[in-house]
Amino acid sequence: MIPEYFKTRRTVRSYDRNRSIPDSMLNEMLEAAFRAPTTGNMQLYSVVVTRSEQGKKALAPAHFGQPQVENCDVVLTFCADFNRFEKWCKVSDAKPGYRNFQSFMTAVLDTAIVAQQFCAIAESSGLGCCYLGTTTYNAPEIAQTLMLPDRVVPVTTLTVGYPAVDNQQADRLPADAMIHRGHYRDYSDEVIRSFYAEKEARQDSARFIAENGKKTLAQVFTDVRYPESNNEHFSKVYLDFIKKQGY
Amino acid sequence: MIPEYFKTRRTVRSYDRNRSIPDSMLNEMLEAAFRAPTTGNMQLYSVVVTRSEQGKKALAPAHFGQPQVENCDVVLTFCADFNRFEKWCKVSDAKPGYRNFQSFMTAVLDTAIVAQQFCAIAESSGLGCCYLGTTTYNAPEIAQTLMLPDRVVPVTTLTVGYPAVDNQQADRLPADAMIHRGHYRDYSDEVIRSFYAEKEARQDSARFIAENGKKTLAQVFTDVRYPESNNEHFSKVYLDFIKKQGY
């Protein structure tokens, strides 16, 4: 039996400012999250906890002023971290060989997995979370604010708090759109149209298209929300930063 | 209250070959996993389900013959996928701009998050899972076996099944080793030694060191399990493959 939480979860961007997560509960949730799977039990991640108003204010610009950064109870910045592991190697007469992309990927996966395990723990404990994709855009600024040393790279951020409102669950594509049995079956135009038909028929999709002065929902993504110029710019910024951090 | 599952979970590499997950249950778990957070609700991932003996045999070499590939009930290969989204753009008169590293990172995070949500769902439903880090090593072979098209990159793999034995929970570093409050606090040699002391004192650590003919536990990682030559080689392989897939 699948616990009900997994079927009903939703992202929460608006938090009850009158309720604060006790430090003991936050620590207990983090400790449970660290039980998440990790490559070779290396735990190649760190979490920076930001609870002070001043700390959240300092992080907000790097997240383009998204209001949930200052309005949440806790900001958690999840970082790929080979610093701790390499320092252990150095006091253990061992020569680390992790200044490369494969090691970066390993640490990124460890980091995303622990972030999502934390998210599931928090959500199933009655809290609400929101991921901030801006973390990989403005990683250099975040690293400066959080005093991240060499070998540590911000990967994702969660804002966490008690939900202010009981918001609706977002739509998803039909499960068959993501599942391939035996091997990948590529999509014909007709199949693509059928998988996206329900999403396109939604009232909020029509509103997004109108608000943004576009003709199709896909254009809202390609021209407004995730345009090529941004993606190209922040690709260069992130790649340069990864190299600077020794990967 | 944190559900007990999160505190007690463990990785399962050995499966009961006499019990099979019903297809309907697998589908229900995947559908629930697709409720995981995803960037801009783009769902930039696909899952290839391998259940046949022949299919598992074909995947095994790419995972260096790790026995859980052939001994599990289901192999799930989680892939970063911009193919589906871009095909939607193309039938929607929208010009996608996702042939870059930032878009790869976005899809990787979506993929890792959905994989971990699936893992949590399966584990809390009484199943056992094991991640295969070899997925980013031999991505080209996996892509060929699973017939992955342009824009689709294997990121991680889960082997899934009913546990054969009730194995022990692995150790973890003290939570304080991963938690930084306000900003990152770098580690002195003394602090590093104290965080790793418990791990080093374990009986199985002494056994790993002896079995591998090493002097310290860290050397088992740097010289045997994750040596520089492997990391450098598979970095090149994966980076070349990502570029080939249009990122």
Side-chain angles (χ1 to χ4, degrees), chain A residues 4-242:
Chain A
E4 202 53 26
Y5 147 71
F6 292 106
K7 299 181 186 178
T8 57
R9 72 153 298 280
R10 72 246 10 231
T11 290
V12 171
R13 290 179 183 78
S14 168
Y15 305 97
D16 182 350
R17 297 305 306 271
N18 296 317
R19 290 187 73 184
S20 185
I21 304 163
D23 272 324
S24 58
M25 179 179 171
L26 181 63
N27 289 343
E28 205 190 343
M29 290 192 297
L30 283 166
E31 192 162 351
F34 298 152
R35 288 273 153 210
T38 159
T39 310
N41 203 4
M42 291 188 283
Q43 299 189 266
L44 300 167
Y45 51 78
S46 274
V47 187
V48 185
V49 179
T50 304
R51 295 206 75 153
S52 72
E53 295 306 311
Q54 187 192 346
K56 289 184 252 177
K57 233 187 249 311
L59 278 173
H63 295 294
F64 296 139
Q66 289 177 89
Q68 59 267 44
V69 176
E70 292 196 55
N71 292 334
C72 73
D73 189 33
V74 184
V75 180
L76 297 177
T77 307
F78 290 86
C79 305
D81 187 340
F82 256 103
N83 174 53
R84 185 177 56 250
F85 193 81
E86 289 191 349
K87 287 217 150 80
W88 178 52
C89 292
K90 278 166 198 168
V91 300
S92 305
D93 196 20
K95 191 177 162 287
Y98 307 115
R99 301 184 81 83
N100 43 57
F101 186 66
Q102 192 64 239
S103 301
F104 176 69
M105 280 300 297
T106 305
V108 163
L109 291 178
D110 265 26
T111 305
I113 285 167
V114 84
Q116 179 50 29
Q117 191 78 332
F118 179 89
C119 178
I121 290 167
E123 289 177 341
S124 61
S125 304
L127 299 167
C129 298
C130 180
Y131 276 99
L132 304 180
T134 34
T135 312
T136 52
Y137 288 7
N138 295 311
E141 289 77 6
I142 293 168
Q144 191 165 33
T145 303
L146 302 180
M147 300 171 63
L148 305 183
D150 187 41
R151 314 298 285 130
V152 183
V153 174
V155 168
T156 193
T157 302
L158 281 173
T159 57
V160 192
Y162 286 95
V165 286
D166 188 19
N167 58 324
Q168 274 201 318
Q169 202 176 32
D171 66 292
R172 289 289 187 266
L173 295 176
D176 279 343
M178 279 74 68
I179 300 174
H180 302 262
R181 298 177 203 280
H183 63 79
Y184 197 99
R185 321 261 157 176
D186 210 345
Y187 310 91
S188 68
D189 288 359
E190 199 182 337
V191 165
I192 283 290
R193 284 199 185 91
S194 77
F195 281 146
Y196 283 83
E198 201 182 311
K199 185 187 281 287
E200 291 184 319
R202 292 172 60 87
Q203 272 197 328
D204 52 6
S205 296
R207 204 183 65 235
F208 288 140
I209 295 169
E211 278 174 3
N212 289 289
K214 293 291 158 189
K215 283 187 299 184
T216 68
L217 183 61
Q219 288 177 355
V220 178
F221 286 90
T222 56
D223 300 356
V224 184
R225 296 193 65 189
Y226 303 97
E228 181 163 28
S229 55
N230 267 14
N231 297 332
E232 295 282 340
H233 171 70
F234 290 115
S235 291
K236 194 181 160 354
V237 170
Y238 201 57
L239 273 169
D240 286 350
F241 183 70
I242 292 169

Side-chain angles (χ1 to χ4, degrees), chain A residues 192 196 200 216-219 221-222, chain B residues 42 82-98:
Chain A
I192 283 290
Y196 283 83
E200 291 184 319
T216 68
L217 183 61
Q219 288 177 355
F221 286 90
T222 56
Chain B
M42 291 187 282
F82 255 104
N83 173 53
R84 186 177 56 249
F85 193 81
E86 289 190 349
K87 287 218 150 80
W88 178 52
C89 291
K90 279 165 198 169
V91 299
S92 304
D93 197 19
K95 192 180 161 288
Y98 308 116

Side-chain angles (χ1 to χ4, degrees), chain B residues 154-175:
Chain B
V155 169
T156 193
T157 302
L158 281 173
T159 57
V160 192
Y162 286 95
V165 286
D166 188 19
N167 58 323
Q168 275 199 318
Q169 203 176 30
D171 66 293
R172 289 291 187 264
L173 295 175

